[in-house]
Amino acid sequence: MAPAIMLAADAPRLSSANTGFMLICSALVMLMTPGLAFFYGGMVRVKSTLNMLMMSFISLGIVTILWVLYGFSLAFGTGSKLIGWNTDWFGLSHIGLTELWDGYTIPVYVFMVFQLMFAIITPALISGALADRVKFSAWALFITLWVTIVYVPVAHWVWGADGWAYKLGVIDFAGGTAVHINAGAAALGVILVIGRRVGFKRDPMRPHSLPLVMLGAGLLWFGWFGFNAGSWLGNDDGVGALMFVNTQVATAAAMLAWLAYEKIRHGAFTTLGAASGAVAGLVAITPSGGAVSPLGAIAVGAIAGVACAAAVGLKYRFGFDDSLDVVGVHMVGGIIGSLLIGFFATGKGQSAATGVLYGDHTFTQLWKQCAGVFAVLAYSLIVSAVLAFLLDRTLGMRVTEDQEVSGIDQAEHAETAYDFSGAGGGVTAAAPAPAPAHTRKVDA
């Protein structure tokens, strides 16, 4: 009986503190999708604002239903190194209210909803590369297929208990591969299929509202603390706190590095550069923040800030129309953050794995990171391009050229973002001028 008593005593028990913490983190991650909508919405021209907002918001609806029906079961059930399945999780039909996620002190429901928010924002990230030109119905169908065929398997590889990347020892604390490289590579695959916007490299396509961009970036930064610190699924051993600190540190370093690069290269510190630099830092620290020290986080952020700032200009050199720099920020930032684990991992955070600068002279962890990065990149790029090609040949992915030029908001949503007709835009009759003093009648 003694071993049985010992096992019962050591078994995890539901922690109300960790459960509450994770529910708050889930809400923070959910807030990131509207934040992303504002971030992207401010970066496009006025005539595309609503469409950009809706491309993010529709993910909240579609992915939630898919995740409940089968997404969670496929991503986190057991089965093989490539995909999982758990019949009890189909439709969340046989999950007990206090049933714990294996090895942790939070309910399965809490883990499920936390991961749901990741699944929602990942396809929304892709939308920034496709601004101004994609049919909303085609986009909705693309999300449905992409989450099922690309996101769910990759999430299983990286985070599933029997996923091949997880078993190999690839470190991805909160989504450098599964979220950012996955979305960035998908964006590149789709834009190579659907082509450029009308007027690309000819017409000015400046952001219509930089205040909206800054608001969106602020919401993303705020929500990212839940995204990153929450990915440790609790708050008992300090690793989540390390991730919280590193998230702030790397983001600050990346923003400053981007602005410095921008000043040297283009002669100005721009608000768009500050917002983009912050997002680049958030992306890069997402996979690495649990493995590096705060000084390492400064290095990760600074390197990502400069590299991503340089990468966004490559679309003009190579001629691919990544409208809002999803490839340059998310794919490149995700690659940098994931690979730098192989150099800066201290062995004192989430695991004992160390990087080259901390004694791993055989490059063991770096090779593992390379395997995860390039497998996800290749799979997402190829499959996403194939999906876009099939949809383009059947439904047609793009609106007509006339609709694109006149404005996709009106064509796809029958609305416009700003209505000035009732705000002083009408013409009213002027009041009659007073009669000259010498002609006025004077009362007796």
Side-chain angles (χ1 to χ4, degrees), residues 82-107:
L82 299 178
I83 198 69
W85 180 252
N86 187 326
T87 303
D88 290 342
W89 295 348
F90 177 76
L92 308 183
S93 53
H94 298 289
I95 298 175
L97 290 178
T98 58
E99 180 182 344
L100 297 182
W101 184 244
D102 190 26
Y104 292 88
T105 59
I106 61 173

Side-chain angles (χ1 to χ4, degrees), residues 7-44:
L7 288 173
D10 293 340
R13 296 183 179 182
L14 190 149
S15 165
S16 58
N18 285 339
T19 298
F21 171 72
M22 289 306 301
L23 288 173
I24 292 170
C25 288
S26 300
L28 287 171
V29 182
M30 182 273 165
L31 183 65
M32 291 173 66
T33 297
L36 180 72
F38 284 128
F39 181 69
Y40 282 167
M43 290 174 69
V44 297

Side-chain angles (χ1 to χ4, degrees), residues 270-349:
T270 69
T271 52
L272 182 60
S276 299
V279 173
L282 290 164
V283 169
I285 202 62
T286 291
S288 58
V292 305
S293 69
L295 287 177
I298 293 176
V300 170
I303 293 168
V306 173
C308 292
V312 297
L314 295 178
K315 63 184 180 182
Y316 299 109
R317 178 177 297 179
F318 295 111
F320 61 90
D321 186 7
D322 176 16
S323 307
L324 307 183
D325 303 322
V326 179
V327 177
V329 173
H330 292 277
M331 190 181 84
V332 173
I335 291 171
I336 289 170
S338 297
L339 295 184
L340 287 180
I341 294 170
F343 293 94
F344 294 114
T346 64
K348 298 178 181 179

